[in-house]
Amino acid sequence: MSDQVHVCLREEQDKLWRVFHSHKNEMIVTKSGRKMFPKLEYVVRGLSPNKLYAMMLHIEQADDSRYKFSSGEWMKSGKAEQHKEPKKMWHADGVRSGKEWMATPICFDRVKITNSVDSTNASMIFLHSMHKYNPVLSIYESPSESPLCIPQPSTRLVTSVRLTYTEFIAVTAYQNDNVIKLKIEYNPFAKGFREGSQGDRKRNSPSADESTTDESASSPQPKKQRNESISPPMIPRVSPSIIPHPNFHPFLYTLPYLSQFAAGGLPPTPFPFPLGFPCFTPLQYPVSSNVKIEQKEQDQEEIEPEINVV
């Protein structure tokens, strides 16, 4: 069965891996994890269409040497760190028929590589920096449609494939300038290495001087309180029958009669003034009980819209 199964990379990714391999490919490892580029997108042929399979990926050390980059090239610099058994990552699609696996490329784009030995993230694979690795795809024939494929005595290994041109050296920072240029050219997410990208980000962010001189740019501003609505002054609706003058206006005030000044009498002042100067006195008109009722109803109509419902 294994002789009939053929595994390769998707054509576009296959070309990229070969180009990077000619310069000894490098992969960044971080504590938070980093996805690999180029991607691992396998194309499988020769599976039985009606049988069930599960795909597993692990990354094994290519040799027992540690590497260093010197004088523009990679060279061995000693014995490799002691490594444990490689972590096995089952494909997220679980168990599928051979027909389904062969219909589309098998991509392990969720896998991340890290240099944090204490990482418990299920999608991360621990790698030693300055060591050479090679991804390995293993295909298992599954006896059942279990969503979580766990190797059992009845689970049969169909084949394991390691491609020599998918080797890479794990690094915490790229060493070869040629690899950096290839990452910039082909990886759309390599923004940190593009010319001018870091300068643009610095220009967009406030400088240290601006942050110290302009507090409004750095300190959050308190929320503006909503101004309470102010209703216009209410004017009572007065019946025309009780208005003595046709030109009456509620905001017009009259001065006291001159005859009162002549007689030596002053009208009562409604507001206390320190000098006792007579102020303007509004005209007083009797208001009937009907007007008071209408005014009370109008007060209720004006107040109700101001109630806030939470």
Side-chain angles (χ1 to χ4, degrees), residues 73-85:
E73 61 181 13
W74 286 99
M75 58 182 63
K76 295 181 180 180
S77 64
K79 189 174 179 61
E81 298 285 345
Q82 184 178 2
H83 59 278
K84 300 179 181 179
E85 183 180 356

Side-chain angles (χ1 to χ4, degrees), residues 37-293:
F37 184 87
K39 298 179 180 180
L40 291 172
E41 295 182 350
Y42 295 97
V43 177
V44 180
R45 297 287 182 265
L47 299 177
S48 298
N50 298 325
K51 288 186 177 180
L52 300 175
Y53 300 92
M55 305 292 167
M56 186 196 73
L57 178 74
H58 73 275
I59 301 177
E60 65 181 14
Q61 279 190 295
D63 52 33
D64 293 331
S65 300
R66 181 183 177 89
Y67 288 81
K68 69 176 182 178
F69 190 77
S70 178
S71 300
E73 61 181 13
W74 286 99
M75 58 182 63
K76 295 181 180 180
S77 64
K79 189 174 179 61
E81 298 285 345
Q82 184 178 2
H83 59 278
K84 300 179 181 179
E85 183 180 356
K87 184 177 182 179
K88 298 176 174 60
M89 305 284 292
W90 294 100
H91 195 277
D93 289 347
V95 178
R96 303 175 69 186
S97 66
K99 180 180 179 180
E100 292 174 317
W101 286 119
M102 293 185 293
T104 57
I106 303 169
C107 184
F108 287 88
D109 55 351
R110 298 185 182 182
V111 175
K112 294 183 179 181
I113 52 179
T114 179
N115 60 346
S116 176
V117 67
D118 299 326
S119 176
T120 58
N121 193 317
S123 63
M124 291 190 186
I125 296 179
F126 169 75
L127 302 179
H128 288 286
S129 178
M130 298 298 180
H131 290 63
K132 184 182 289 187
Y133 293 92
N134 194 6
V136 180
L137 175 68
S138 300
I139 303 177
Y140 288 86
E141 183 180 339
S142 177
S144 64
E145 298 184 5
S146 173
L148 298 177
C149 181
I150 301 176
Q152 300 174 355
S154 58
T155 303
R156 186 171 70 90
L157 175 64
V158 177
T159 185
S160 290
V161 179
R162 53 183 57 79
L163 305 173
T164 57
Y165 55 90
T166 57
E167 289 182 348
F168 63 88
I169 298 177
V171 295
T172 55
Y174 291 121
Q175 305 295 311
N176 192 345
D177 291 338
N178 293 326
V179 173
I180 295 176
K181 292 177 181 178
L182 290 174
K183 298 279 185 177
I184 294 173
E185 182 177 358
Y186 293 106
N187 188 358
F189 299 102
K191 298 178 180 179
F193 295 97
R194 301 190 190 281
E195 294 181 2
S197 61
Q198 293 183 352
D200 294 340
R201 287 197 296 270
K202 289 181 180 179
R203 283 193 292 270
N204 292 333
S205 60
S207 63
D209 295 337
E210 292 175 351
S211 61
T212 55
T213 56
D214 186 4
E215 296 181 358
S216 61
S218 58
S219 302
Q221 299 299 319
K223 295 183 178 179
K224 294 182 179 180
Q225 297 181 353
R226 186 180 63 179
N227 295 330
E228 297 181 357
S229 59
I230 301 176
S231 302
M234 292 179 295
I235 303 172
R237 292 193 294 269
V238 183
S239 176
S241 59
I242 64 173
I243 298 178
H245 197 280
N247 296 327
F248 169 78
H249 192 279
F251 292 108
L252 293 181
Y253 292 84
T254 59
L255 286 170
Y257 293 109
L258 297 177
S259 59
Q260 294 178 345
F261 287 99
L266 294 175
T269 58
F271 304 101
F273 281 83
L275 300 178
F277 188 82
C279 74
F280 296 99
T281 305
L283 293 174
Q284 303 293 332
Y285 297 98
V287 181
S288 62
S289 60
N290 294 333
V291 174
K292 293 181 180 180
I293 295 175

